[in-house]
Amino acid sequence: MRIMEYIKDKILLLVLHACCMLLLAGFLYATGYERAYCRLILIFWLLILTLWILYGYYGRRRYFQELEATVERMDKRYLLGELMPVSHRLEDRLYRELIRTSNKSVIERIRQIEDEQKEYREYIESWVHEIKAPITSIDLMCENSRSIFGEQGHKDRWNRIRLENQKIENYADQALYYARSDEVYKDYVIRKTDLMETAAVVLKRNKHYMIQCRMRAEVDCKDAAYTDQKWILFILNQLVQNSAKYRREEGAWIRIYTEPYAYRTKECPADDRAGYGCGVKLIVEDNGIGIKEEEIERVFEKGFTGSNGRKRERSTGMGLYLCRKLCGKLGSVIYAESRENEGTKIVLEFPESRYITAGIGEGERN
């Protein structure tokens, strides 16, 4: 608050005082008072008015400065009405009560929206679990029918049905993990995860799709990482699906491997080894059609499909978005390296948690 802004707010009161001063001066002059006395009275009036204006200005400025500081310290600023500074002014008390009433309405509305979102999320989760039963049944029927009917034509037909059924399952998994992505902390367990085993499970799940795509796969995951296996299975499955979807026509391959890496844990000199930690990189590399340079920074955005997504199979733009969101919740980092027509490399970084490893080590010793 500035002094001129405060004076402008009090302009009507100042005009009233000025009119009263003029009327008083005219009255005193008309009744025969000496001009010196009139000037003295007006000077004292003006001095008292000035002091009163300054006192009011500094009081209001201090009040609003305290109010702004309170707002800056608050995480939930819609609760301002409960933490407003105490004021003796009736106007401030009335404003405080009105803000409290408004905030109460806002909080009730927020709670209602949260309840609705929770109900919808629970419905989506239950729906996905229910739909997985017929999806699994269709997959088993395709497998049994393929073994019963030996003709090649029947086998191809059941394989196509099975692949389409697998796509339905992948989209259902996307819906489930998207519904859970804001509450990952309720459904994950960080422990030592065998990345070789995880990659093998993902490739086995997608083997029919990769056979259809004539895509060769290599796995070389010698390192383990501390993470949640179920969530990493979903992330890795999305990456393998993307590699198969955006493959090249001939000689397509995908390689999943791990590499150790060092990272800075704090600000320290370059030769201070105590300031470095060791982690594991899980890399999914392919020789597919790649990503344009101008699109590489946007591939993890929600709903972004890019030029490849419009040319190839229908893309939702949600797979990589979910991967980044889940990695952020798990404390991992994911990024992409790619060039158009030269393949793509997706890197997941798992930093080592000294707290977790120390705890596990003590447990094993005991």
Side-chain angles (χ1 to χ4, degrees), residues 239 242-243 246 253-255 257 283-292 296 299-300 308 320 335-347:
L239 300 181
N242 276 3
S243 293
Y246 302 114
W253 55 262
I254 181 174
R255 186 169 176 240
Y257 58 99
I283 303 170
V284 181
E285 185 177 2
D286 62 58
N287 65 337
I289 60 177
I291 305 170
K292 292 183 177 180
I296 191 69
V299 294
F300 294 100
N308 292 337
L320 289 179
Y335 58 90
E337 299 175 359
S338 180
R339 288 186 178 181
E340 192 174 8
N341 299 321
E342 294 185 13
T344 303
K345 182 187 293 186
I346 305 293
V347 182

Short mmCIF file of all heavy atoms in Angstrom, two decimals, residues 239 242-243 246 253-255 257 283-292 296 299-300 308 320 335-347:
data_model
loop_
_atom_site.label_atom_id
_atom_site.label_comp_id
_atom_site.label_asym_id
_atom_site.label_seq_id
_atom_site.Cartn_x
_atom_site.Cartn_y
_atom_site.Cartn_z
N LEU A 239 7.06 -49.06 -22.74
CA LEU A 239 8.21 -48.75 -23.60
C LEU A 239 8.40 -49.81 -24.68
O LEU A 239 8.71 -49.49 -25.84
CB LEU A 239 9.47 -48.63 -22.74
CG LEU A 239 9.44 -47.55 -21.65
CD1 LEU A 239 10.76 -47.53 -20.89
CD2 LEU A 239 9.14 -46.18 -22.24
N ASN A 242 5.75 -49.32 -27.32
CA ASN A 242 6.09 -48.19 -28.19
C ASN A 242 7.15 -48.58 -29.21
O ASN A 242 7.09 -48.19 -30.38
CB ASN A 242 6.57 -47.01 -27.36
CG ASN A 242 5.42 -46.17 -26.83
OD1 ASN A 242 4.26 -46.51 -27.02
ND2 ASN A 242 5.74 -45.10 -26.13
N SER A 243 8.17 -49.32 -28.76
CA SER A 243 9.23 -49.74 -29.69
C SER A 243 8.67 -50.61 -30.80
O SER A 243 9.07 -50.49 -31.97
CB SER A 243 10.32 -50.50 -28.93
OG SER A 243 10.99 -49.64 -28.04
N TYR A 246 6.43 -48.37 -33.24
CA TYR A 246 7.16 -47.44 -34.10
C TYR A 246 8.45 -48.08 -34.62
O TYR A 246 9.51 -47.46 -34.65
CB TYR A 246 7.46 -46.15 -33.35
CG TYR A 246 6.22 -45.47 -32.83
CD1 TYR A 246 5.98 -45.35 -31.47
CD2 TYR A 246 5.26 -44.97 -33.71
CE1 TYR A 246 4.83 -44.74 -30.99
CE2 TYR A 246 4.11 -44.36 -33.25
CZ TYR A 246 3.90 -44.26 -31.89
OH TYR A 246 2.75 -43.66 -31.43
N TRP A 253 14.76 -54.37 -34.21
CA TRP A 253 15.24 -54.99 -32.99
C TRP A 253 15.05 -54.05 -31.81
O TRP A 253 14.91 -52.84 -31.96
CB TRP A 253 16.70 -55.42 -33.10
CG TRP A 253 17.67 -54.34 -33.49
CD1 TRP A 253 18.17 -54.09 -34.72
CD2 TRP A 253 18.26 -53.34 -32.61
NE1 TRP A 253 19.01 -53.01 -34.72
CE2 TRP A 253 19.09 -52.54 -33.42
CE3 TRP A 253 18.17 -53.05 -31.27
CZ2 TRP A 253 19.83 -51.48 -32.91
CZ3 TRP A 253 18.89 -51.98 -30.75
CH2 TRP A 253 19.72 -51.22 -31.56
N ILE A 254 15.03 -54.65 -30.62
CA ILE A 254 14.94 -53.89 -29.37
C ILE A 254 15.93 -54.49 -28.40
O ILE A 254 16.12 -55.72 -28.36
CB ILE A 254 13.51 -53.91 -28.79
CG1 ILE A 254 13.46 -53.10 -27.50
CG2 ILE A 254 13.03 -55.33 -28.54
CD1 ILE A 254 12.07 -52.94 -26.93
N ARG A 255 16.58 -53.63 -27.65
CA ARG A 255 17.58 -54.08 -26.68
C ARG A 255 17.30 -53.44 -25.34
O ARG A 255 17.13 -52.22 -25.25
CB ARG A 255 18.98 -53.70 -27.18
CG ARG A 255 20.09 -54.26 -26.30
CD ARG A 255 21.45 -54.09 -26.97
NE ARG A 255 22.52 -54.54 -26.09
CZ ARG A 255 23.51 -53.76 -25.66
NH1 ARG A 255 23.57 -52.50 -26.06
NH2 ARG A 255 24.45 -54.23 -24.87
N TYR A 257 18.88 -53.19 -21.57
CA TYR A 257 20.10 -53.45 -20.81
C TYR A 257 20.25 -52.42 -19.69
O TYR A 257 19.53 -51.42 -19.63
CB TYR A 257 21.32 -53.44 -21.73
CG TYR A 257 21.54 -52.15 -22.49
CD1 TYR A 257 22.45 -51.20 -22.03
CD2 TYR A 257 20.85 -51.89 -23.67
CE1 TYR A 257 22.67 -50.03 -22.73
CE2 TYR A 257 21.06 -50.72 -24.37
CZ TYR A 257 21.97 -49.79 -23.90
OH TYR A 257 22.17 -48.62 -24.59
N ILE A 283 17.93 -49.14 -19.74
CA ILE A 283 17.87 -48.53 -21.07
C ILE A 283 17.09 -49.44 -22.02
O ILE A 283 17.36 -50.63 -22.11
CB ILE A 283 19.29 -48.27 -21.62
CG1 ILE A 283 20.07 -47.38 -20.64
CG2 ILE A 283 19.22 -47.63 -23.00
CD1 ILE A 283 21.53 -47.26 -20.97
N VAL A 284 16.12 -48.84 -22.70
CA VAL A 284 15.35 -49.53 -23.73
C VAL A 284 15.69 -48.86 -25.06
O VAL A 284 15.30 -47.73 -25.31
CB VAL A 284 13.84 -49.46 -23.45
CG1 VAL A 284 13.07 -50.20 -24.54
CG2 VAL A 284 13.51 -50.04 -22.08
N GLU A 285 16.42 -49.58 -25.89
CA GLU A 285 16.92 -49.01 -27.14
C GLU A 285 16.37 -49.80 -28.32
O GLU A 285 16.27 -51.03 -28.27
CB GLU A 285 18.45 -49.05 -27.15
CG GLU A 285 19.08 -48.36 -28.35
CD GLU A 285 20.59 -48.37 -28.29
OE1 GLU A 285 21.15 -48.94 -27.31
OE2 GLU A 285 21.23 -47.82 -29.20
N ASP A 286 16.01 -49.10 -29.39
CA ASP A 286 15.53 -49.76 -30.60
C ASP A 286 16.08 -49.04 -31.82
O ASP A 286 16.67 -47.96 -31.71
CB ASP A 286 13.99 -49.80 -30.63
CG ASP A 286 13.37 -48.41 -30.66
OD1 ASP A 286 13.67 -47.63 -31.58
OD2 ASP A 286 12.57 -48.10 -29.73
N ASN A 287 15.88 -49.65 -32.96
CA ASN A 287 16.33 -49.04 -34.23
C ASN A 287 15.13 -48.63 -35.07
O ASN A 287 15.13 -48.77 -36.29
CB ASN A 287 17.22 -50.00 -35.01
CG ASN A 287 16.45 -51.24 -35.47
OD1 ASN A 287 15.42 -51.60 -34.88
ND2 ASN A 287 16.94 -51.90 -36.51
N GLY A 288 14.09 -48.13 -34.41
CA GLY A 288 12.85 -47.78 -35.10
C GLY A 288 12.94 -46.48 -35.87
O GLY A 288 14.03 -46.00 -36.22
N ILE A 289 11.77 -45.89 -36.11
CA ILE A 289 11.71 -44.71 -36.97
C ILE A 289 12.16 -43.44 -36.25
O ILE A 289 12.35 -42.40 -36.88
CB ILE A 289 10.28 -44.51 -37.51
CG1 ILE A 289 9.30 -44.33 -36.36
CG2 ILE A 289 9.88 -45.68 -38.39
CD1 ILE A 289 7.88 -44.06 -36.81
N GLY A 290 12.35 -43.52 -34.92
CA GLY A 290 12.89 -42.39 -34.19
C GLY A 290 11.89 -41.27 -33.98
O GLY A 290 10.72 -41.35 -34.37
N ILE A 291 12.36 -40.20 -33.37
CA ILE A 291 11.54 -39.03 -33.04
C ILE A 291 12.20 -37.79 -33.61
O ILE A 291 13.43 -37.64 -33.55
CB ILE A 291 11.38 -38.89 -31.52
CG1 ILE A 291 10.83 -40.18 -30.91
CG2 ILE A 291 10.48 -37.71 -31.16
CD1 ILE A 291 10.88 -40.22 -29.40
N LYS A 292 11.40 -36.91 -34.16
CA LYS A 292 11.94 -35.67 -34.70
C LYS A 292 12.57 -34.83 -33.58
O LYS A 292 12.11 -34.84 -32.45
CB LYS A 292 10.84 -34.86 -35.38
CG LYS A 292 10.33 -35.51 -36.67
CD LYS A 292 9.30 -34.62 -37.34
CE LYS A 292 8.83 -35.24 -38.65
NZ LYS A 292 7.82 -34.40 -39.33
N ILE A 296 11.23 -34.11 -29.45
CA ILE A 296 11.80 -34.95 -28.42
C ILE A 296 11.49 -34.43 -27.02
O ILE A 296 11.31 -35.20 -26.07
CB ILE A 296 13.34 -35.06 -28.62
CG1 ILE A 296 13.92 -36.14 -27.71
CG2 ILE A 296 14.01 -33.73 -28.39
CD1 ILE A 296 13.54 -37.53 -28.06
N VAL A 299 7.55 -35.46 -25.93
CA VAL A 299 6.99 -36.82 -26.00
C VAL A 299 6.39 -37.28 -24.67
O VAL A 299 5.57 -38.20 -24.65
CB VAL A 299 8.06 -37.83 -26.47
CG1 VAL A 299 8.46 -37.56 -27.91
CG2 VAL A 299 9.27 -37.81 -25.55
N PHE A 300 6.81 -36.66 -23.56
CA PHE A 300 6.27 -37.05 -22.26
C PHE A 300 5.09 -36.18 -21.83
O PHE A 300 4.60 -36.32 -20.72
CB PHE A 300 7.36 -36.98 -21.19
CG PHE A 300 8.46 -37.98 -21.39
CD1 PHE A 300 9.66 -37.62 -21.98
CD2 PHE A 300 8.29 -39.31 -21.01
CE1 PHE A 300 10.68 -38.54 -22.16
CE2 PHE A 300 9.30 -40.24 -21.19
CZ PHE A 300 10.50 -39.85 -21.77
N ASN A 308 4.66 -39.16 -35.61
CA ASN A 308 4.66 -40.62 -35.70
C ASN A 308 3.32 -41.21 -35.26
O ASN A 308 2.83 -42.18 -35.85
CB ASN A 308 5.77 -41.20 -34.82
CG ASN A 308 7.16 -40.87 -35.36
OD1 ASN A 308 7.32 -40.60 -36.54
ND2 ASN A 308 8.14 -40.88 -34.48
N LEU A 320 3.77 -42.60 -22.51
CA LEU A 320 4.98 -41.97 -21.97
C LEU A 320 4.65 -40.96 -20.89
O LEU A 320 5.44 -40.76 -19.96
CB LEU A 320 5.77 -41.31 -23.11
CG LEU A 320 6.44 -42.28 -24.09
CD1 LEU A 320 7.18 -41.50 -25.17
CD2 LEU A 320 7.41 -43.21 -23.37
N TYR A 335 14.03 -40.19 -19.38
CA TYR A 335 14.23 -39.23 -20.47
C TYR A 335 14.49 -40.01 -21.76
O TYR A 335 14.74 -41.23 -21.73
CB TYR A 335 15.36 -38.25 -20.18
CG TYR A 335 16.71 -38.88 -19.91
CD1 TYR A 335 17.62 -39.14 -20.94
CD2 TYR A 335 17.08 -39.22 -18.60
CE1 TYR A 335 18.84 -39.70 -20.69
CE2 TYR A 335 18.31 -39.80 -18.35
CZ TYR A 335 19.19 -40.03 -19.40
OH TYR A 335 20.41 -40.60 -19.15
N ALA A 336 14.40 -39.30 -22.88
CA ALA A 336 14.51 -39.93 -24.20
C ALA A 336 15.67 -39.32 -24.98
O ALA A 336 15.95 -38.12 -24.87
CB ALA A 336 13.21 -39.77 -24.97
N GLU A 337 16.32 -40.17 -25.76
CA GLU A 337 17.34 -39.74 -26.72
C GLU A 337 16.98 -40.37 -28.06
O GLU A 337 16.77 -41.58 -28.13
CB GLU A 337 18.73 -40.18 -26.29
CG GLU A 337 19.17 -39.60 -24.96
CD GLU A 337 20.52 -40.16 -24.50
OE1 GLU A 337 21.07 -41.02 -25.24
OE2 GLU A 337 21.00 -39.76 -23.43
N SER A 338 16.88 -39.56 -29.09
CA SER A 338 16.44 -40.12 -30.37
C SER A 338 16.81 -39.19 -31.52
O SER A 338 16.99 -37.98 -31.33
CB SER A 338 14.92 -40.34 -30.35
OG SER A 338 14.47 -40.88 -31.58
N ARG A 339 16.90 -39.79 -32.70
CA ARG A 339 17.04 -39.06 -33.95
C ARG A 339 16.12 -39.70 -34.97
O ARG A 339 15.94 -40.93 -34.97
CB ARG A 339 18.48 -39.07 -34.46
CG ARG A 339 19.43 -38.21 -33.65
CD ARG A 339 20.80 -38.15 -34.31
NE ARG A 339 21.71 -37.29 -33.58
CZ ARG A 339 22.97 -37.04 -33.95
NH1 ARG A 339 23.44 -37.62 -35.07
NH2 ARG A 339 23.73 -36.26 -33.24
N GLU A 340 15.57 -38.90 -35.81
CA GLU A 340 14.63 -39.41 -36.81
C GLU A 340 15.31 -40.43 -37.71
O GLU A 340 16.42 -40.21 -38.20
CB GLU A 340 14.07 -38.26 -37.63
CG GLU A 340 12.89 -38.66 -38.49
CD GLU A 340 12.26 -37.48 -39.19
OE1 GLU A 340 12.83 -36.36 -39.11
OE2 GLU A 340 11.20 -37.66 -39.81
N ASN A 341 14.64 -41.59 -37.87
CA ASN A 341 15.10 -42.70 -38.71
C ASN A 341 16.37 -43.38 -38.18
O ASN A 341 16.98 -44.18 -38.88
CB ASN A 341 15.36 -42.24 -40.15
CG ASN A 341 14.10 -41.71 -40.81
OD1 ASN A 341 13.01 -42.26 -40.61
ND2 ASN A 341 14.24 -40.63 -41.57
N GLU A 342 16.76 -43.08 -36.93
CA GLU A 342 17.96 -43.70 -36.36
C GLU A 342 17.68 -44.41 -35.05
O GLU A 342 18.62 -44.85 -34.37
CB GLU A 342 19.04 -42.64 -36.15
CG GLU A 342 19.57 -42.04 -37.44
CD GLU A 342 20.72 -41.09 -37.18
OE1 GLU A 342 21.26 -41.10 -36.06
OE2 GLU A 342 21.08 -40.35 -38.11
N GLY A 343 16.43 -44.55 -34.68
CA GLY A 343 16.11 -45.28 -33.46
C GLY A 343 15.91 -44.36 -32.26
O GLY A 343 16.13 -43.15 -32.32
N THR A 344 15.51 -44.98 -31.16
CA THR A 344 15.18 -44.25 -29.93
C THR A 344 15.77 -44.98 -28.74
O THR A 344 15.83 -46.20 -28.70
CB THR A 344 13.65 -44.14 -29.75
OG1 THR A 344 13.09 -43.50 -30.90
CG2 THR A 344 13.30 -43.34 -28.51
N LYS A 345 16.21 -44.20 -27.77
CA LYS A 345 16.73 -44.74 -26.52
C LYS A 345 15.98 -44.07 -25.36
O LYS A 345 16.02 -42.85 -25.22
CB LYS A 345 18.23 -44.49 -26.42
CG LYS A 345 18.85 -45.07 -25.15
CD LYS A 345 20.31 -44.63 -25.00
CE LYS A 345 21.17 -45.23 -26.08
NZ LYS A 345 22.61 -44.90 -25.84
N ILE A 346 15.28 -44.87 -24.58
CA ILE A 346 14.60 -44.38 -23.39
C ILE A 346 15.39 -44.85 -22.17
O ILE A 346 15.69 -46.04 -22.03
CB ILE A 346 13.16 -44.90 -23.28
CG1 ILE A 346 12.36 -44.56 -24.55
CG2 ILE A 346 12.47 -44.31 -22.05
CD1 ILE A 346 12.12 -43.08 -24.76
N VAL A 347 15.75 -43.91 -21.31
CA VAL A 347 16.61 -44.20 -20.16
C VAL A 347 15.83 -43.96 -18.87
O VAL A 347 15.23 -42.90 -18.69
CB VAL A 347 17.87 -43.33 -20.18
CG1 VAL A 347 18.79 -43.69 -19.00
CG2 VAL A 347 18.61 -43.49 -21.50
#
